[in-house]
């Protein structure tokens, strides 16, 4: 899987759910979207939305360090989208076990997307299911409704 750190949490995404990984990608901001929706990037002739995973989960502003960030690209039904992660650690084999850890309060929004846990390099790691992330209503609605109401 692809191992990454976001805020103080360690996550792994099964490799089969991953399309590619890019660094230093140019992102075009979108108006009237929530802060965690960074914008649209172009990759191989396709436009894809880019979400700041840490900001989506925690809703806590932080100072981004662009050279340390990576975008993990996922594909779902021919639709590409990207998650900006703070620290990409690399690829690891892992064995999933049922979730027994208590999910931190700052991860409540994605609790349904945690499909299990594993130990990697002596650290507890949460297994993130990207298909389940697409079922999170807030993730699929990045528009600031108040901004649209103000324009009409």
């Amino acid at each position: 899987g692809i191992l990454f750190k976001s805020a103080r949490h360690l996550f792994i995404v099964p490799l089969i759910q991953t399309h590619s990984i890019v660094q230093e990608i140019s992102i075009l901001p979108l108006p009237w979207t929530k802060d965690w929706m960074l914008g649209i990037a172009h990759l191989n002739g396709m436009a894809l939305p880019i979400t700041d995973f840490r900001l989506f989960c925690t809703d806590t502003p932080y100072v981004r360090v662009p050279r340390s960030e990576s975008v993990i690209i996922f594909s779902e039904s021919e639709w590409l989208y990207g998650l900006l992660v703070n620290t990409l650690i690399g690829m690891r084999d892992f064995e999933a076990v049922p979730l027994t850890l208590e999910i931190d309060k700052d991860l409540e929004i994605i609790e349904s997307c945690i499909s299990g846990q594993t130990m990697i390099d002596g650290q507890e790691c949460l297994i993130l299911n990207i298909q389940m992330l697409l079922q999170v209503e807030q993730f699929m609605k990045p528009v600031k409704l108040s901004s649209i109401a103000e324009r009409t």
Side-chain angles (χ1 to χ4, degrees):
I2 303 298
L3 183 65
F4 67 93
K5 190 170 188 174
S6 187
R8 65 183 192 279
H9 305 286
L10 197 59
F11 294 92
I12 194 159
V13 177
L15 194 56
I16 196 161
Q17 296 180 8
T18 307
H19 179 271
S20 58
I21 298 170
V22 294
Q23 291 181 307
E24 298 186 33
I25 192 168
S26 181
I27 301 170
L28 177 66
L30 292 174
W32 308 301
T33 58
K34 295 180 181 171
D35 293 339
W36 49 262
M37 174 52 71
L38 297 178
I40 298 291
H42 294 274
L43 182 68
N44 300 327
M46 295 184 71
L48 59 141
I50 307 291
T51 296
D52 183 323
F53 185 68
R54 177 178 175 175
L55 195 55
F56 175 75
C57 291
T58 65
D59 198 30
T60 303
Y62 67 99
V63 176
R64 290 181 48 207
V65 182
R67 295 220 183 264
S68 71
E69 298 172 332
S70 298
V71 176
I72 303 175
I73 309 295
F74 300 98
S75 177
E76 180 67 29
S77 302
E78 299 182 27
W79 177 56
L80 294 179
Y81 59 100
L83 285 183
L84 179 115
V85 299
N86 303 108
T87 306
L88 180 69
I89 298 170
M91 290 178 60
R92 297 286 198 285
D93 286 330
F94 70 97
E95 288 187 37
V97 297
L99 184 64
T100 58
L101 294 172
E102 188 172 325
I103 299 295
D104 287 354
K105 186 172 176 63
D106 63 340
L107 296 179
E108 285 178 348
I109 196 166
I110 63 160
E111 187 171 4
S112 64
C113 309
I114 306 299
S115 61
Q117 67 189 50
T118 190
M119 286 290 285
I120 296 183
D121 300 332
Q123 296 182 37
E124 294 286 352
C125 181
L126 300 173
I127 301 169
L128 180 63
N129 184 317
I130 296 302
Q131 282 81 19
M132 294 305 297
L133 183 61
L134 295 178
Q135 305 304 313
V136 174
E137 185 176 355
Q138 296 93 323
F139 186 79
M140 297 305 292
K141 294 184 178 179
V143 175
K144 283 185 182 175
L145 296 178
S146 61
S147 297
I148 292 174
E150 291 169 7
R151 294 198 68 222
T152 58

